[in-house]
Structures are given as C-alpha cells and as structure tokens.
Amino acid sequence: MSGIVVHLPEGGGSDAVTLRIGPGERIRFGRGSARTPVELRLGDEAVSRLAGEIRATEDHWQLSNLSTTHSYLVENPEGAGEYLRVPPRRVGAPIPFELSRVVLPSRRDTPVRFQVFAPDHIYLDPQAIGDGSWESHTVTAYSLDETATYFLVLVALCEPWLRDRSPVAVPTTPEVVERLRGHAGCARLTARAVSAHIDYLADEKLRIGVPAAADGTARADRRNGKREAVVGIALKFGLAREEHLDLLPPRTEPAKRDR
C-alpha cells in the first residue's frame, strides 16, 4: 500500500509521463497554465486548466472532478466493461479498481485518457479462510491478479525460463511488446505502457528496491536490473509458472525458406 502510479501515454498533444504519489499526496491534472500549475498536463483544448485531482489513500485512490460541465469516466480495462461516472464538481470519489483508465471528453476523434495503478489490493490466503475475523488470518505475500495486463507482462518476461531455454538475458521491453501483440487485450500495448507495468510489479506488487539512477547509462542499467529482479522473484516463489504460459498468445514460428 505504498501509493499509486499515474501513467499518461504519448499522443494527443501530450508527452508521455509517469508519476508516483504516496498516501496522503495528490496530483492535479488539466491543461494547466503559468497561473494554474498542474502535475499532469493534458494537451487538449477541451480540458479545463484545472480539470481534476487524484489523491492517494492507504488502500485506494480518490478522484475529484473540478469541471463544472463535463463528467469523467473511470474504466476497468481488466474487467468486463465496468466503469464509474464521476459527475462535475464531485470531490473525493473513491475508485475501487486496481487498474483504472480515466477518460475525459474531447473535441478530437478520441477522448483524453490516462491510467492509474492503485495501491496494492490485499487478498487472504485461500487456505486460511474460515471462521474468525479477517485480521487474524494469513494474507498472501504477493497478491497478483492473473487476469491483469501486468501479469501477462510478468509471464512474458519469465517465458524463456518457463520453457527451459536456458536464456542469458531477460526479454527487453520491445520484445515483450512484440510477444503480447497477438493478445486480444494488448494490440495497442506500447513500450512505455509495458515499462509502467514493470514499475508497478517491481515497486508495488513485489516491493523490489532498485537504486535511483544518476544519468542516462545508470537509468538503462536500473531498468535492466528491475526486469531481472522481477523475473528472479517471480521464478523463485513460483508466482509465474508453466501453466501460466497458456495466457500468452500462440508463438509465431519463423517461416522456413524454400530450397
């Protein structure tokens, strides 16, 4: 429950941004200006200068809609079409989804969207459920949702080991994007989105500490170290197993050259 991650993909006049806040902290989003600074700048003329606010709590996050005219949608991209509508001027609406897509209306062909990774949801150990209060029960050390996109990313990272190929390096982020491209829910998955999922796995789900980077080379080393650490934890504790390979799209074998 160390906080939330907000990821804005590149496009629609906005640069890609990934922000992290801890419990009690907030992020303001909107078009922004010199007099109205925002942490998450959305480059769309239909978005208010100060459109809303995200606040992290201990076990969830809240969305405030500061628009006087537009409702915002919060979608659950991992579910079956679930969404919440946050009306204008609504303050502190609690969001229950572990991974959310916030959608703001726009005059363009597509609305403005960004993702929010919620604080780690805690689940009871299935073997410990029974009589008594939940406080006395054992909880899972690593609570992973096997239907979530971040879990697909984890399985793709671990795939070479799970197939017993004796690999020398973990798959790169572009290789993960290409591996998941055939999945129905990952057709538009980008490298930045995969990096955000890896950050979420390392920092929130598996709680892996990786030293901060000082320069470009160090950042690349840190990214590689984070992927390797995620794979190491997942394989050591059996979080990604051989049966999970069925979640990945079928592999495409290279075509054989005719003689």
Side-chain angles (χ1 to χ4, degrees), residues 106-139:
S106 169
R107 294 176 63 91
R108 304 183 184 185
D109 293 338
T110 57
V112 178
R113 299 184 176 96
F114 59 88
Q115 291 179 314
V116 180
F117 296 83
D120 188 21
H121 288 191
I122 293 179
Y123 295 88
L124 291 174
D125 187 325
Q127 305 301 323
I129 297 177
D131 296 333
S133 64
W134 73 269
E135 291 92 345
S136 65
H137 289 153
T138 302
V139 298

Side-chain angles (χ1 to χ4, degrees), residues 74-230:
V74 183
E75 301 173 339
N76 178 13
E78 309 291 353
E82 299 96 337
Y83 69 90
L84 297 175
R85 180 183 293 110
V86 182
R89 304 180 304 281
R90 173 69 161 94
V91 176
I95 307 301
F97 308 136
E98 187 169 14
L99 174 61
S100 304
R101 182 188 297 120
V102 181
V103 184
L104 282 65
S106 169
R107 294 176 63 91
R108 304 183 184 185
D109 293 338
T110 57
V112 178
R113 299 184 176 96
F114 59 88
Q115 291 179 314
V116 180
F117 296 83
D120 188 21
H121 288 191
I122 293 179
Y123 295 88
L124 291 174
D125 187 325
Q127 305 301 323
I129 297 177
D131 296 333
S133 64
W134 73 269
E135 291 92 345
S136 65
H137 289 153
T138 302
V139 298
T140 56
Y142 302 113
S143 54
L144 301 178
D145 181 358
E146 296 183 5
T147 66
T149 302
Y150 68 75
F151 192 79
L152 282 174
V153 171
L154 177 63
V155 176
L157 288 171
C158 297
E159 182 181 22
W161 280 266
L162 296 176
R163 294 194 186 278
D164 195 24
R165 294 189 201 164
S166 300
V168 295
V170 297
T172 65
T173 298
E175 287 172 344
V176 172
V177 173
E178 186 62 30
R179 180 66 183 91
L180 296 179
R181 195 176 301 281
H183 192 280
C186 300
R188 297 184 178 180
L189 192 67
T190 65
R192 284 192 175 272
V194 168
S195 294
H197 284 296
I198 293 172
D199 287 340
Y200 185 59
L201 282 164
D203 302 335
E204 304 298 331
K205 287 299 185 179
L206 306 182
R207 300 177 295 281
I208 299 169
V210 180
D215 54 40
T217 302
R219 278 195 295 271
D221 292 342
R222 181 173 182 268
R223 176 64 65 189
N224 292 336
K226 182 172 286 190
R227 288 188 287 109
E228 292 170 356
V230 164

